[in-house]
Amino acid sequence: MTTYRLQVNGKVHAVDQDADTPLLYVLRNDLELNGAKFGCGLGQCGSCTVLLDGKPAMSCMVPVSVVGQRPVRTVESLGNATTPGMLQQAFIDEQAAQCGYCIAGMLMQATALLEKTPAPTDAQIRAHMSSNLCRCGTHMRILRAVRRAANTLAAKGKP
């Protein structure tokens, strides 16, 4: 085991893990950040999506040893049940979550999109979100939620 110092949601954590331990396991088991979910374990469903250095990453496929100094953001950085973040509120308003299993990954994928492209077209939203799957079929609601969040950002004059 090796001690890794990870910057997660703005805080530095020291964790003792084997080099090939997936970041998802570290987040859930060591840091008790349970937003990101284990889905397929193959990096194909997106339920484990976090932001690694501002870019979406399937945390089930990222060994803890390659994270280094790059900051990690999880869904817990966006808000909580009593004080949801703007994007979380848009998902609530559009009732975009059915079972909710994929939502943490969807929210992080959408966060990356809006940080890079604050006013995305529907085609850009669809293309960007296509790596995250929802078995409940709420894709149209998710599209509306991301669009709603983009409109909220535009109304506030934020990029």
Side-chain angles (χ1 to χ4, degrees):
M1 286 209 180
T2 303
T3 300
Y4 297 95
R5 298 183 61 78
L6 304 174
Q7 181 186 348
V8 180
N9 298 335
K11 296 180 182 174
V12 176
H13 303 270
V15 295
D16 294 323
Q17 279 296 340
D18 293 326
D20 58 350
T21 302
L23 175 60
L24 176 64
Y25 294 178
V26 173
L27 295 172
R28 292 183 61 82
N29 300 337
D30 295 301
L31 304 182
E32 298 181 357
L33 296 170
N34 296 314
K37 303 289 189 276
F38 181 89
C40 65
L42 301 169
Q44 297 178 351
C45 73
S47 62
C48 66
T49 303
V50 299
L51 299 186
L52 180 59
D53 206 16
K55 298 176 184 158
M58 306 299 181
S59 62
C60 71
M61 299 300 292
V62 177
V64 68
S65 60
V66 303
V67 173
Q69 300 299 312
R70 296 180 292 170
V72 177
R73 287 178 55 202
T74 69
V75 71
E76 288 86 354
S77 71
L78 302 180
N80 57 48
T82 57
T83 312
M86 180 268 310
L87 190 57
Q88 292 168 313
Q89 187 62 55
F91 272 64
I92 292 168
D93 293 344
E94 294 295 340
Q95 299 181 0
Q98 189 76 30
C99 79
Y101 201 81
C102 68
I103 293 303
M106 292 282 188
L107 286 165
M108 296 316 293
Q109 190 76 13
T111 295
L113 172 65
L114 295 177
E115 288 179 354
K116 181 179 173 189
T117 309
T121 64
D122 283 357
Q124 288 172 313
I125 296 170
R126 289 174 194 264
H128 186 82
M129 300 299 291
S130 66
S131 60
N132 291 63
L133 304 177
C134 172
R135 301 271 183 228
C136 300
T138 63
H139 295 93
M140 294 308 294
R141 292 178 185 180
I142 292 167
L143 175 67
R144 286 195 309 262
V146 176
R147 188 181 319 125
R148 177 187 284 257
N151 290 340
T152 300
L153 285 173
K156 290 182 177 180
K158 292 184 176 179

